[in-house]
Amino acid sequence: MIEVKEVATRAQRKAFIEFPLKLYRGNDCFVPPLYADEKRLFRKDYHYYEHAEAVYYLAYHDGKVVGRISGILQRAANERWHQKRVRFTRFDSIDDRDVAAALFAKVEDWARSKGMEEVVGPLGFSDLEREGLLIEGFDELSTFEEQYNYPYYPVLIEGLGYEKDVDWVEHKLYAPEHPDPRIHEMRERMMKRYDLHLSKAKSIDDFIRLYKDAFFDLLDETYADIYGTVPFTEKMKDELAKTFKQIIDLRYVTMILDKDEKPVCFGLCFPSVSRAVQKSGGRMTPATIVRILKALKKPEIIDLGLIGVLPAYRGVAIVMIDEITRMLTEGSAKYCETNLNLEDNHAILNLWKNFGNVLHKRRRCYIKKL
C-alpha cells in the first residue's frame, strides 16, 4: 500500500531533497541542483513565497520513500495570465503507476482546495527555475539549469490524464565551419544605425551595479508574452543577482546599450558546471568548488541562459550570432547548449540556423483539467 505524507519534519525535508540523488545514483546524465538551494525551499522567508505558496509530499511503501512531488500556487502568474492553475514540480518516482497516482492525487486535491481548475507542469516558481519534462534526449547530459528524468516519467504522467500544453526544444550549437563574413558586417551596420555600443563593465560587481535593475526591466519586457513567466519582485532580483554573481563570466555576457546607456539587448551565457556538481550530489564541497572554478576558467560547454531584445531593436539580434560564434571559436568550448526554446519561438530558432546545430532534447509541460 502506498502512503503519502506532507513534508513537515526535518527528516522529511532531508528525505525530499535526497530522494532524487538516490534514484539517479550512477546515472551519467543526471545533474543535481545545489543542495543548499533545495534546502531554502523550506525556509519561511524564501523569496518566492512573497507571491506564492507551496506544498511538498513524499510517497512511502513499507516505510521506504519511493516518490516525491511539490505543488505550487503561483498567484503572480495566475494574475498575469488570468488563470486558475496549480503547478507541479520536483516530481520523482520509481517506475510504479500507483506511486505516481497517489502523489498527483494529493497535488490535485490541494489544487481543488485552493479553488483552482487546472494542474500544469513541471513548472517552478518562475520560468528561471527548472521546468519541462524530458521526453526526448534521455542519453544526453543535462544542463545545470534544467532537470533530467527517466524515460518512464512521461508514461506515468500521461497515464494519469495529463496532456501536452507546450513543448520546448534544445539544440547543441557548434561553431560554423565557414563563418559568413556578412554577419559581422551586418552587426556593425546595425550598431551604427541605432547608435548602440557594448557594455564596458570591468567586473561582475561593476556589471551588477550598473545594470541590475535595467536588466530585469528588460527581461520583464522582452519575456512578457513567454509561456509561464512571472513578474520580478525586488527580492527575486536580489537573489538572482547573487546567483549570477557566482557563475557569470564577462567573457560570456553581451549587453548592448543605446546612446543613453539604456540596455536594449542582452545575451547571458554560463560556463557549464554540470560535471562539476555531479559527484557531490550538489553539495559545495572543497573538491566541488575546485571543479567549478576549473569549469568556469576553461569550459568545455557553454550554457545559453537568456537572450532578450526590445521589439524596436529586433535586427540587433544578429549581434548575438556574432558573439556566440566568437565564444565558440576563441575559447575552449566544444559547443553551446541553448537550453529551453519554445517550439514555436521561430525568432529564436531561426538564429540557430547560422551554426552547426543539432536538436537533441525535447521537453514538455503537461496540463490536466480538474
Side-chain angles (χ1 to χ4, degrees), residues 34-69:
L34 292 182
Y35 196 94
D37 287 347
E38 292 298 280
K39 286 178 66 175
R40 292 170 60 208
L41 292 171
F42 300 103
R43 288 176 47 175
K44 292 182 179 180
D45 63 349
Y46 187 49
H47 58 282
Y48 281 117
Y49 293 149
E50 186 177 6
H51 295 293
E53 59 183 292
V55 65
Y56 303 89
Y57 296 108
L58 285 169
Y60 297 83
H61 179 65
D62 292 337
K64 179 182 178 181
V65 176
V66 290
R68 69 169 195 168
I69 199 169

Side-chain angles (χ1 to χ4, degrees), residues 88-127:
F88 75 84
T89 184
R90 292 173 174 82
F91 166 67
D92 288 292
S93 169
I94 63 171
D95 189 3
D96 188 305
R97 187 185 185 283
D98 291 340
V99 173
L103 287 166
F104 275 92
K106 283 292 187 180
V107 170
E108 291 165 12
D109 287 345
W110 183 71
R112 292 187 188 96
S113 75
K114 298 293 181 179
M116 298 296 105
E117 300 172 349
E118 300 169 325
V119 175
V120 298
L123 289 174
F125 288 93
S126 79
D127 62 311

Side-chain angles (χ1 to χ4, degrees), residues 16-39 68 90 92 130 140-149 247 272-285 288 291-292 303 363:
F16 186 92
I17 296 170
E18 295 185 354
F19 176 70
L21 303 181
K22 297 174 182 177
L23 186 67
Y24 291 98
R25 184 172 291 149
N27 186 298
D28 194 50
C29 297
F30 171 74
V31 176
L34 292 182
Y35 196 94
D37 287 347
E38 292 298 280
K39 286 178 66 175
R68 69 169 195 168
R90 292 173 174 82
D92 288 292
R130 295 181 171 197
E140 296 284 348
L141 174 67
S142 182
T143 61
F144 175 72
E145 297 83 12
E146 300 303 336
Q147 61 193 15
Y148 178 83
N149 56 263
I247 58 177
S272 173
V273 296
S274 291
R275 293 297 188 198
V277 302
Q278 273 186 325
K279 293 182 180 180
S280 67
R283 293 175 175 86
M284 292 298 285
T285 65
T288 303
R291 288 194 296 269
I292 288 176
D303 291 348
R363 298 181 187 272

Side-chain angles (χ1 to χ4, degrees), residues 269-329:
C269 299
F270 309 99
S272 173
V273 296
S274 291
R275 293 297 188 198
V277 302
Q278 273 186 325
K279 293 182 180 180
S280 67
R283 293 175 175 86
M284 292 298 285
T285 65
T288 303
I289 294 172
V290 170
R291 288 194 296 269
I292 288 176
L293 291 174
K294 183 178 178 181
L296 295 178
K297 184 176 181 180
K298 197 174 180 181
E300 294 187 3
I301 306 168
I302 297 171
D303 291 348
L304 179 55
L306 298 164
I307 289 180
V309 56
L310 291 177
Y313 296 87
R314 289 293 186 200
V316 178
I318 197 166
V319 177
M320 300 314 305
I321 299 173
D322 204 32
E323 285 294 298
I324 294 174
T325 300
R326 174 187 61 78
M327 295 175 197
L328 290 171
T329 54

Side-chain angles (χ1 to χ4, degrees), residues 152-355:
Y152 62 79
Y153 277 43
V155 178
L156 292 178
I157 291 175
E158 291 167 15
L160 297 173
Y162 285 80
E163 300 177 340
K164 173 184 174 179
D165 198 18
V166 299
D167 275 8
W168 295 272
V169 293
E170 301 178 52
H171 289 78
K172 287 181 180 178
L173 305 181
Y174 297 89
E177 289 187 21
H178 305 289
D180 188 342
R182 293 174 299 177
I183 297 293
H184 189 73
E185 294 170 5
M186 291 171 64
R187 164 195 175 136
E188 294 304 308
R189 286 202 300 270
M190 281 291 178
M191 295 289 278
K192 185 175 181 179
R193 174 183 174 183
Y194 291 109
D195 197 7
L196 304 174
H197 60 279
L198 296 179
S199 161
K200 292 184 174 61
K202 297 179 181 179
S203 66
I204 292 302
D205 286 335
D206 193 29
F207 183 87
I208 291 175
R209 178 183 62 81
L210 290 170
Y211 307 121
K212 177 188 146 187
D213 289 333
F215 168 78
F216 285 110
D217 289 344
L218 179 56
L219 192 59
D220 258 338
E221 185 171 353
T222 57
Y223 279 61
D225 297 324
I226 298 295
Y227 181 87
T229 52
V230 177
F232 289 101
T233 65
E234 289 305 315
K235 286 185 178 179
M236 288 169 62
K237 292 177 184 178
D238 289 341
E239 290 300 322
L240 288 167
K242 290 178 185 177
T243 301
F244 289 165
K245 193 172 180 179
Q246 297 174 28
I247 58 177
I248 285 179
D249 184 319
L250 287 183
R251 292 176 298 167
Y252 306 109
V253 175
T254 300
M255 180 72 82
I256 303 176
L257 312 169
D258 66 13
K259 62 181 184 343
D260 299 316
E261 299 298 311
K262 177 184 176 183
V264 301
C265 178
F266 68 88
L268 197 59
C269 299
F270 309 99
S272 173
V273 296
S274 291
R275 293 297 188 198
V277 302
Q278 273 186 325
K279 293 182 180 180
S280 67
R283 293 175 175 86
M284 292 298 285
T285 65
T288 303
I289 294 172
V290 170
R291 288 194 296 269
I292 288 176
L293 291 174
K294 183 178 178 181
L296 295 178
K297 184 176 181 180
K298 197 174 180 181
E300 294 187 3
I301 306 168
I302 297 171
D303 291 348
L304 179 55
L306 298 164
I307 289 180
V309 56
L310 291 177
Y313 296 87
R314 289 293 186 200
V316 178
I318 197 166
V319 177
M320 300 314 305
I321 299 173
D322 204 32
E323 285 294 298
I324 294 174
T325 300
R326 174 187 61 78
M327 295 175 197
L328 290 171
T329 54
E330 291 184 359
S332 57
K334 298 175 182 177
Y335 60 88
C336 176
E337 282 261 11
T338 66
N339 277 311
L340 276 64
N341 301 141
L342 285 166
E343 64 179 348
D344 60 355
N345 189 346
H346 301 296
I348 286 293
L349 296 178
N350 285 334
L351 293 181
W352 309 150
K353 295 178 181 179
N354 294 278
F355 302 90

